[in-house]
Every structure is written in structure tokens, then in C-alpha cells.
Amino acid sequence: MNVILPARPATGVHGGWGLPLAALGLGLLAFGLLFQAEVAAAVATWDRSATYNHCWLVLPIAIWLAWVRRDRLKVLRPEPSLLLALPALAGALAWIVAERLGIMEGRQLVLIGLVWVLVLATLGWRIALAMAAPLAYLIFLVPFGEFATPFLQDVTLQMILVGLRFFEIPHYADGLVIEIPAGTFLVAEACAGLRFLIAAIAFGALYALVMFRSPGRRLMVMLLAVGVPVLANGIRALGIVLLGHHLGSAEAAAADHLIYGWVFFSVVLLLLVVAGLPFRQDGAVAPVAHDPLAPLRPQRVAPARGVAVAALAVGLAATGPLAAARLDAGVAPPQVQDAALTAPDGCVAEGLALRCAGLVATARLMQFAADANWAGVAAARRAAAGAVNDDALTFGVQAPGMAWQVRHVTGRSALVAVAAWRDGVAAGDGLRSRAAQALSALRGGTARPVLVVVDLVPEDAAALDVAQASRVMRAVLAAQRQSLGAVAAARSTGS
């Protein structure tokens, strides 16, 4: 007698995929609403900064990576798991830590992690593993890396100086300003090479995922994607200075240097691609091994469980924003007032302002509440600097009891210096200051952040000489130790 076994529905939307996919889509929509501040900040950065313009391509690339791996899903079915949704609670905890520390990139990275958890819990670990490459590539949606700009600027500066000494070209360096007989060069943010480095890392990751299978070869590609752009950027910057020396004009050498830079780096990346071709492993993606009797076995997991799993993951993730909203309830906005500046040699005080060699300096002081977190301080810093321009010059000015960060705001032809104090001492923008304020706010401490902003603009809307303005700004800031700096330090104690 022949026994006929019931056939299992074919894999597809009607084969156990419908409800889990719908639950995944609704979960992603819920994440978009819960974390709309993180999404909006990322999109604004992609649009504003040339360093992150490539982020617009990340999602289409991730979708393409998933499409070329679609054959892996033919033998798999969603396996929603309530247990796999529990890591969303750890994600919510990590988000609240990043939010209290005022690190937007941290919040965005946590959001990507929560998306991974949602996919893992709703579709199961086998499908998540099969789609690991496109899911991992989503990390490049986060515009991270700006913290490395000062380090990269210093590396570029040192490479230029080494080259100038090697070629015996007379030069003088004042911070990030280099003067040679042909003119003055500024090692601005764009000269740091961050935009090339971030783009090279994203491209290197795609190249490694598409062309190689071995973890060792993929790691080698990523190491080259980090090291080669840094080295190449230093060579490019030195080449511009050498060109200015031979042309006798710094302005002529620096003209369209970013366009030439992209051409230079395109050639560098092309050479890296060509160098990697002999070692390629880009054969067909093997489908996931499967049990040939699986279609004959009854389905163990009800598709409707995907809805409950997605709801649990979203609910656990929402605890972070809800906790932050409760902590921020009733926090007073910062108090802002104009402040007087002490005049250094060569400057004349006129009321609260200073006049220095055709430049006008003014200051304002922002005093935050004791229960405020560092996110407000970081936002005030960004607002003071105006719209971020990758071509801007940034540098630090260190003085006893003070730590200033100066930015050239090209949109309004000004230099803006910002410094913070907390609990009587200078506070940088690093993790130590952020963590100290977060703990103090949670414990009901009296220490409060105080932010001081100093603007230096030319009189009568004249063009700003950045090299001269930088020297004046350094002198003005150094003169504030016993005056404005002392006032800010005293107010930051909360006494």
C-alpha cells in the first residue's frame, strides 16, 4: 500500500514567510518612529557633509548584496524566537548610555544593532546568518569617524613637514598653518583625508564581501583600506605644497585640490583592486546545506509567532527612549549671557567686545542645569560652529585651566572658539567629561556644564585672513585665564 505524505507548501510568501515579513516591516517602521532623531541626524549629515555623501548608496548596495544571496533562502523558512528578541533590552541599555553621554553616533550604531536583533528574532538565526553580509554592511549608514579628524590632521601635517625637511624647503609651522616662501597652506579638515578614508573603508568592505570568501583575505583588504588612504593622503598633501613651491603660488597649487584628490584616490583604489584580482574568490555563492526530508516534515513554528516576537523586540527597544524622556522631564534650558573679554596686547576693549587689528571679538557664556546631560552641551557646540564645512580649519588652543577648540566658519567668515568647564575644571568633549556629568545628573550633584563661545569676525564685512585671525584668536584666548576662564570655572561648580 502506498502512503501519501501531505506536501508542505512551497517556500515563498505563502510558505510561512508572509506574517514574519510583515512583522519585520512593521517592526522597522516602529523603529523609524521611535528613533526618528537618529535617522534624521544621519540623513542630514549625509546631505550636508561631502565626507558622508556615499552613505546614500549604502542601502541600495546592501539590498543588492541580499539579492545575489537570495538562493540561500530557498531552503530556509522563518523561525521566530522570543528568546532571540531579548538582546533588544541590552540594546536599549546601550542606547540610554550613549544618549546620556551625548554621543549621536553611538545611538545610531545601537539602532543598527537593534535592526539586527529584529531580523534575528523575527526570521531566525539561519536566515540572519545567510544574510550576514548585507546586514553587516548596514553599519556604513552611520556617519561615524569625525572623532579621528584631529588625529588625521596631525598625521597629514607631520608627513608634510617631513617632506619639506627632506626637500630642504624653508618653512614655518604654527599649529595647522604652514608657511613657505610661496605662500601659506592650511591643513583644514578636508586635508585630513577623512572623506577618502571613510569612502575607502566602505568600498573595501564591499570589495572584500564580493571578491573574497576567506576571512584572512577579507581582513587584509580591510587593513589596506585603512592604511593606504592615510598614507596616500599625506603624499597628496605634500604634493600640493611642493607644487606651490615650484609654481611660486600657494593659491594656484591649492586650487581644486579636492577634485585632484578624488582623481588621485580613484587611481589608488583602482590599483588596489587590480592588485587583489589574482587572489579573488568570487565564485557562485553556495546555498545553505539542507535536509532533503525537510519539505516532508510538519512546520514546527507558527508563522503568527513572528508578530509577537517583533512586538517584544520593539517594546524592549522602546524602554531606552522612554527612560530618557523621563530623565529629561523638567530639565531647565541653559542660561545664555554676553561676557566681557580681557584685552591682550594689540587689542582694545570697547564695552564687552575687543577690537584687534581689524577684527572684532565677542563672547557669550552658556550655563547648563546641574541635571542636564552632555547631549545639550554637544548640541550647543555644534550650533556655535554653524553648518559643518569639510574645508574648514580646526585647531585646539591649550592654556592652563582652559581647553579651546577653534573652527573656521566659512559661511559667515569667522573664527569660533568653544571651551567647556565642569565642576571647576576645564572639560573636553571626551568620554570622561560626558560620563562624569551623566553620573552627577543621575545622583543629583550640583556640578554643571558651562560653555563659553568666542567669535572673531572682520570689521566692515571684510574678507577674513585665516592665518592672521588664527594668531589673534590664540592671543585673545590665552588672555582669558584669569578673567572669563575663571568666571566659567567658578560657575561650573554650582556653588
Side-chain angles (χ1 to χ4, degrees), residues 38 126 134 169 189 208 217 236 266 310 351 415 441 443 461 471 485:
E38 288 78 4
R126 290 183 176 83
I169 297 175
E189 288 189 7
R217 296 187 185 187
R236 177 192 70 91
S266 297
L415 284 186
R443 295 172 178 173
R471 290 190 287 268

Side-chain angles (χ1 to χ4, degrees), residues 19 71 75 81 87-88 118 173 182 184 259 315 331 390 410 414 431:
L19 281 177
D71 288 342
V75 295
S81 171
L118 182 64
T184 301
I259 296 177
V331 176
D390 295 330
T410 55
L431 288 177

Side-chain angles (χ1 to χ4, degrees), residues 344-358:
D345 294 338
C347 296
V348 178
E350 291 187 2
L352 297 180
L354 300 180
R355 294 192 178 274
C356 313

Side-chain angles (χ1 to χ4, degrees), residues 156-237:
T156 303
L157 172 68
Q158 295 305 319
M159 292 185 68
I160 294 173
L161 296 179
V162 169
L164 292 177
R165 286 193 290 268
F166 178 81
F167 290 105
E168 298 182 346
I169 297 175
H171 62 277
Y172 170 75
D174 180 13
L176 298 174
V177 179
I178 302 174
E179 296 182 13
I180 64 173
T184 301
F185 293 87
L186 307 175
V187 185
E189 288 189 7
C191 301
L194 179 65
R195 64 180 65 180
F196 304 123
L197 176 60
I198 297 297
I201 293 174
F203 175 80
L206 177 61
Y207 187 60
L209 290 173
V210 172
M211 302 298 291
F212 301 98
R213 299 286 175 264
S214 165
R217 296 187 185 187
R218 286 178 171 176
L219 177 61
M220 181 58 66
V221 170
M222 295 310 299
L223 291 176
L224 291 174
V226 173
V228 171
V230 174
L231 178 62
N233 182 70
I235 296 174
R236 177 192 70 91

